[in-house]
Amino acid sequence: MLEQNLQKLGFSKNETTVYLALFELGKSRAGKIIEHTGLHRNLVYTALEELVKKDLVSKVERRKVAVFEANSPEYLKESIERKLDVAAGVIEELKKKQTTTPRDINVYEGNEGTILTRQRAVENIQPGDTYYVLGISEQNSSPVLDPYFAKLNKKIMSRGAHLKALIGSSSSEMAERRGLTYGENAKSLPFGAETPMWFSFYHDILNISVADTDPVTFSIRSKQAVEGFKKYFEYFWKQPVRMENGMPALKKVFYDMLTELKPGEEYYVFGTALGTDPKYGDFFDQYHRDRIKKGVIVKMLSYQENLREIKERFFVKGGDPEGKISFIKPFISAPPIPMQITMYRGKTRLLFSGVEPVIFYFEQPEVYQGFKKYFEEIWEQDTYIARGPEVLRDLWLEADKQGGISWIGARGYFVDRYPKMFAEIVEHAKKIKGLKWKNIIDLSFKGHALTKLPWMETKYLLSAPTKNPNVIWLLKDKIAITNWAENEPVIFVSQNKYIVQSYNDYFNELWNSK
């Protein structure tokens, strides 16, 4: 136990052995310590030098022979206290240099990830605090999570904290399943929405979860985002909301917005989806032509499945092929009931698309600020996780527009599993002059169809065939690390310039090696 504790205080294994030996031997020459510990002489001398530097061991030369002795154990405490003083000074200096509030955004997958993010609430919440849950519904319930949430809620309340939950329906049975009392710490959302997405927040932690067979949770540390969602929550807790339905209402929402906004002004869309009904696509075809003609800017966070089609159909064909006033980024996979949130000039509109659209109107600036802050947190992310072969196809086509793509460890899984998509990519590539694809792989890949394309360069620099499922895709301004799961690829995508640069440096070093 003593050895373990010393190592927790920063001692190396050899330093621990030598330090304890001096307490057993008393004043000793290095030779005696070497004999006692059984360590190589170089390791003993190195450890002694480090311990002397830390003022934990004294060194005295007698007749040109060094004698070592452990100082009082109190020096150990003094050494740590001096480091704490230095650390405090460094922290204050760093705070002065820090111009922005650090953000902490993490993605957790599976029931385990959902439980992990909520367990932190039990550990951190204090008596008198309030824990908020927004959007409980049958669609985000599960036989695994419901019993856990019931225990979680009771633990939070047992610590003297308050709990408020908004449920998608007036079901008291749903509240009971979560360990809540309907009418006291659980109420219904005024429009009875049932969605697979729900939110929980406290202190400076906002958790956004999307239910699925493999749920995903986005955990954001942001005091501003939490404060915004609190205002939004309290509005629902206290007041009803205006609702309209039907295509005339949908058209009125978007064209009223287009009338209010001036050229150069922008609005934001959260969770863009096409839906299965063609009337939505036909309407937005015309709407975006009119928007682009007027010069109104849009920023969209689109569900991944629809991103490419939305970009091509509404932006390119609508008259903005270069994306000068039309911006789109990927969000999560589309939920079973597509929900779209549109924000502009302090106003918020929630659209649920179905056989007939349903629109909820929020005129409160605090509701707008809450959603807008969340939108900005996601928009500013330079790293995200995506799924499906369509994501890889779109990355590949994007790379070709930039002159080509490079891989480390590409074994042709995409080519073999999705030949139709690959054929589309090849036809597109044939039209691009000077296109280059590069791949670093092992010799077992030699002769694959991918290696025979005229614009393909392959170097067999990896030492041996590997079962590593990761493939590194290098684009001009981003990298993607693909993990080939059983049914679909899972892709980690990053546009962080330091990560992109380091992977490109790594590729070039391998490519240019002999």
Side-chain angles (χ1 to χ4, degrees):
M1 181 63 73
L2 181 56
E3 292 179 358
Q4 292 175 1
N5 287 335
L6 285 171
Q7 289 178 28
K8 288 179 182 178
L9 292 173
F11 282 64
S12 69
K13 187 175 181 181
N14 293 334
E15 288 170 4
T16 301
T17 302
V18 171
Y19 187 57
L20 293 177
L22 283 169
F23 279 95
E24 297 173 8
L25 298 172
K27 294 181 182 179
S28 304
R29 297 180 179 181
K32 190 173 181 181
I33 299 169
I34 293 167
E35 181 181 348
H36 181 81
T37 62
L39 295 175
H40 189 277
R41 64 189 309 278
N42 290 343
L43 298 178
V44 170
Y45 276 110
T46 300
L48 287 168
E49 288 175 7
E50 291 300 316
L51 292 168
V52 170
K53 287 179 184 178
K54 295 175 182 178
D55 290 332
L56 300 176
V57 169
S58 298
K59 176 183 177 182
V60 179
E61 289 196 5
R62 296 178 180 174
R63 299 177 184 177
K64 298 184 179 181
V65 177
V67 177
F68 300 89
E69 182 180 15
N71 291 332
S72 167
E74 293 296 326
Y75 276 83
L76 185 60
K77 183 179 178 182
E78 292 176 11
S79 173
I80 293 170
E81 288 174 346
R82 286 197 297 273
K83 290 180 180 178
L84 288 173
D85 291 338
V86 172
V90 169
I91 289 169
E92 290 305 314
E93 290 298 316
L94 291 175
K95 283 182 178 179
K96 292 176 184 177
K97 292 179 177 292
Q98 194 171 50
T99 57
T100 59
T101 303
R103 293 182 299 132
D104 182 4
I105 304 176
N106 293 293
V107 182
Y108 299 88
E109 296 189 88
N111 291 327
E112 297 81 4
T114 304
I115 291 171
L116 175 64
T117 57
R118 272 57 178 193
Q119 189 61 32
R120 288 173 180 166
V122 177
E123 297 168 359
N124 297 319
I125 209 153
Q126 300 296 320
D129 289 342
T130 301
Y131 181 77
Y132 299 86
V133 185
L134 171 61
I136 298 173
S137 75
E138 291 291 347
Q139 287 195 27
N140 55 52
S141 296
S142 81
V144 175
L145 291 176
D146 278 5
Y148 168 76
F149 283 135
K151 294 178 182 178
L152 170 75
N153 295 335
K154 289 177 180 178
K155 280 184 180 179
I156 289 172
M157 291 185 285
S158 72
R159 299 196 61 171
H162 306 292
L163 197 149
K164 290 183 176 181
L166 284 168
I167 302 174
S169 65
S170 58
S171 170
S172 59
E173 189 270 336
M174 171 64 78
E176 291 174 4
R177 274 163 46 192
R178 297 294 180 97
L180 305 170
T181 303
Y182 188 78
E184 294 182 10
N185 53 16
K187 292 184 180 181
S188 295
L189 285 164
F191 43 85
E194 290 276 337
T195 75
M197 184 183 295
W198 80 99
F199 308 82
S200 67
F201 45 97
Y202 64 97
H203 294 175
D204 60 349
I205 300 296
L206 169 64
N207 294 314
I208 304 103
S209 298
V210 181
D212 201 345
T213 52
D214 191 23
V216 177
T217 296
F218 297 84
S219 185
I220 302 172
R221 183 181 294 276
S222 170
K223 186 69 174 176
Q224 288 178 306
V226 170
E227 290 302 319
F229 265 84
K230 276 185 186 178
K231 292 176 181 177
Y232 168 64
F233 183 98
E234 292 296 345
Y235 173 79
F236 274 142
W237 189 260
K238 298 173 183 176
Q239 300 183 43
V241 63
R242 183 166 67 93
M243 180 190 77
E244 293 182 1
N245 63 335
M247 284 303 294
L250 176 68
K251 293 176 181 179
K252 186 176 185 301
V253 165
F254 280 90
Y255 276 96
D256 282 353
M257 177 175 67
L258 193 58
T259 300
E260 290 182 49
L261 293 173
K262 298 176 182 178
E265 287 190 296
E266 63 185 16
Y267 70 98
Y268 314 93
V269 182
F270 205 140
T272 312
L274 281 172
T276 56
D277 194 324
K279 67 174 175 280
Y280 291 106
D282 295 341
F283 164 70
F284 284 114
D285 281 340
Q286 182 61 51
Y287 167 76
H288 282 287
R289 284 195 293 269
D290 294 338
R291 174 189 65 80
I292 292 167
K293 184 177 180 180
K294 183 173 181 178
V296 171
I297 300 168
V298 65
K299 290 183 178 178
M300 288 186 177
L301 284 170
S302 168
Y303 296 123
Q304 291 175 5
E305 294 88 341
N306 300 125
L307 187 145
R308 185 182 182 220
E309 187 176 354
I310 287 170
K311 188 175 181 180
E312 291 291 326
R313 181 170 178 173
F314 298 154
F315 298 172
V316 176
K317 294 181 180 179
D320 187 20
E322 296 179 359
K324 293 181 179 179
I325 59 172
S326 308
F327 305 94
I328 190 166
K329 290 185 178 182
F331 187 40
I332 57 175
S333 295
I337 300 179
M339 179 181 72
Q340 176 175 309
I341 304 169
T342 301
M343 300 159 280
Y344 73 103
R345 285 192 174 183
K347 302 176 182 181
T348 308
R349 307 288 184 257
L350 268 68
L351 164 65
F352 291 87
S353 56
V355 177
E356 287 294 322
V358 180
I359 303 102
F360 300 94
Y361 295 77
F362 302 90
E363 306 298 332
Q364 294 73 16
E366 58 268 26
V367 175
Y368 169 85
Q369 291 297 335
F371 274 118
K372 176 71 163 25
K373 184 62 183 177
Y374 175 41
F375 179 94
E376 290 172 345
E377 295 281 0
I378 302 298
W379 186 265
E380 294 299 326
Q381 282 191 109
D382 56 15
T383 300
Y384 61 92
I385 295 174
R387 295 172 179 269
E390 295 82 5
V391 175
L392 294 180
R393 175 200 59 197
D394 293 347
L395 284 171
W396 205 330
L397 292 172
E398 178 186 344
D400 283 354
K401 291 179 182 178
Q402 299 171 352
I405 190 168
S406 300
W407 298 277
I408 301 176
R411 308 195 64 81
Y413 295 148
F414 182 93
V415 177
D416 298 337
R417 295 187 186 188
Y418 309 104
K420 289 185 179 179
M421 288 190 191
F422 181 63
E424 176 188 352
I425 292 166
V426 170
E427 288 303 310
H428 179 263
K430 288 177 180 178
K431 303 172 185 177
I432 301 174
K433 292 183 179 180
L435 181 68
K436 287 291 183 184
W437 295 351
K438 295 180 178 180
N439 184 24
I440 298 175
I441 192 63
D442 60 80
L443 278 169
S444 67
F445 189 64
K446 200 166 187 177
H448 189 276
L450 189 60
T451 66
K452 299 176 182 179
L453 296 170
W455 54 85
M456 181 76 203
E457 293 183 32
T458 307
K459 288 194 176 183
Y460 305 100
L461 301 174
L462 300 186
S463 57
T466 176
K467 294 183 179 180
N468 186 352
N470 297 334
V471 180
I472 301 170
W473 296 51
L474 295 97
L475 287 75
K476 184 177 180 181
D477 59 348
K478 66 184 67 171
I479 66 105
I481 300 176
T482 302
N483 295 274
W484 285 93
E486 182 179 356
N487 296 320
E488 62 178 2
V490 179
I491 307 107
F492 167 90
V493 183
S494 180
Q495 291 179 285
N496 183 287
K497 62 181 181 180
Y498 299 106
I499 295 177
V500 173
Q501 186 61 52
S502 63
Y503 270 97
N504 275 285
D505 289 345
Y506 174 50
F507 177 87
N508 290 331
E509 184 178 345
L510 285 175
W511 188 262
N512 296 321
S513 64
K514 295 182 181 179

